[in-house]
Amino acid sequence: MPNDLAPRELRVLAAVEQERSFSGAAVALGMTQSAVSHSVRSSEAKIGAVLFERGRSGATPTPAGARAAAYARRVLRMLDALAAEARGAAPDPAGDTVAGPLRIAAFRSAALHLLPPALERLTARHPGITPQVRLVRELGAGTAGEVAAGRADLGIATIGTSSPVPPGLVGDVLLEEGYALVHPSGHPAPRSLPLVDWMENCSSYTREWWAEQDWIPAATVQAEDDGAVLSMVSSGFGMAIMPELSLTGAPHTVEITDLGVERPTRSVGYVTTPELAGTVAVRALIRELRALRRWRGSEAAVSDSRKSE
């Protein structure tokens, strides 16, 4: 069809949205600024919508432009997957191989404690796959937003109770982790300590639980991430309420106290796009993550021995 966008036009849209300017996109793509501008005008005519607001500050994507750029990245990724999987196709699909990058977005504790064993097994079985892990804070769109925008093939995400998987994506829960009170070891009254917290800690469900606990004060310190929180608690600065994944490998200078059967929990899972879910690399990583879920289930029983009542 004459209105179809060519891969070159898709790359231009993605680059302009990323760089927020025509000149920046031109440099990134090795094109002239006029060629970038012409390509965008042509795409806007084919799509029938204004994709970027032009101004002194650069090129700001309109809602249509942001969505077009997200789809452009996803289409370009599928073109890469098409070539990679065609080269690795075998007579028996079970023998398919693939080579190339696998882009993963993960929040900090998942990248530190959940992904490494899964990636070790993945690359041992598929040495041609090159994982690229990027840390993304679970604020706003979070890791799922990176997948939806085409910047990641798979995200390790905290999955809310009201919407198990964000619309337009597919995924599953890998583990359900409880929250615990963490405080300096041996402190006689840990609940009297100041509270240390970080912005991406809790879902709205957990915040509701917090609001019902009259012993939890407002946070005295807001840290950048869970690692900073754990370090402050370890130094005797205060107490914190943290999910189990963040407490993996916690130093013995802290004590972990169980919050009881009514403690809040959070779900951690994976999300990907429907089109990437069937690719060799993403399927392989999902298999390793699911195998890890079974392994962590047995490990959790051992870790309970560190918790005091």
Side-chain angles (χ1 to χ4, degrees), residues 143-185:
T143 58
E146 294 299 294
V147 174
R151 288 186 285 265
D153 303 327
L154 182 142
I156 304 297
T158 52
I159 298 177
T161 53
S162 60
S163 178
V165 177
L169 302 179
V170 296
D172 192 14
V173 172
L174 293 170
L175 61 94
E176 193 85 21
E177 56 175 350
Y179 281 77
L181 173 66
V182 56
H183 53 88
S185 292

Side-chain angles (χ1 to χ4, degrees), residues 96-217:
D96 285 352
T97 61
V98 68
L102 176 60
R103 306 169 305 160
I104 305 162
F107 57 92
R108 181 186 175 278
S109 57
L112 283 176
H113 308 303
L114 189 62
L115 271 177
L119 294 181
E120 182 181 14
R121 291 164 58 101
L122 173 74
T123 53
R125 296 184 183 185
H126 301 274
I129 294 176
T130 306
Q132 298 175 350
V133 180
R134 187 159 56 89
L135 295 184
V136 175
R137 299 188 72 189
E138 279 292 75
L139 295 172
T143 58
E146 294 299 294
V147 174
R151 288 186 285 265
D153 303 327
L154 182 142
I156 304 297
T158 52
I159 298 177
T161 53
S162 60
S163 178
V165 177
L169 302 179
V170 296
D172 192 14
V173 172
L174 293 170
L175 61 94
E176 193 85 21
E177 56 175 350
Y179 281 77
L181 173 66
V182 56
H183 53 88
S185 292
H187 195 282
R191 295 191 179 197
S192 67
L193 291 169
L195 179 67
V196 186
D197 200 9
W198 79 105
M199 287 299 296
E200 61 184 323
N201 184 11
C202 300
S203 66
S204 58
Y205 164 76
T206 308
R207 291 294 179 189
E208 290 173 5
W209 177 87
W210 279 32
E212 296 171 356
Q213 312 303 310
D214 56 11
W215 61 273
I216 303 179

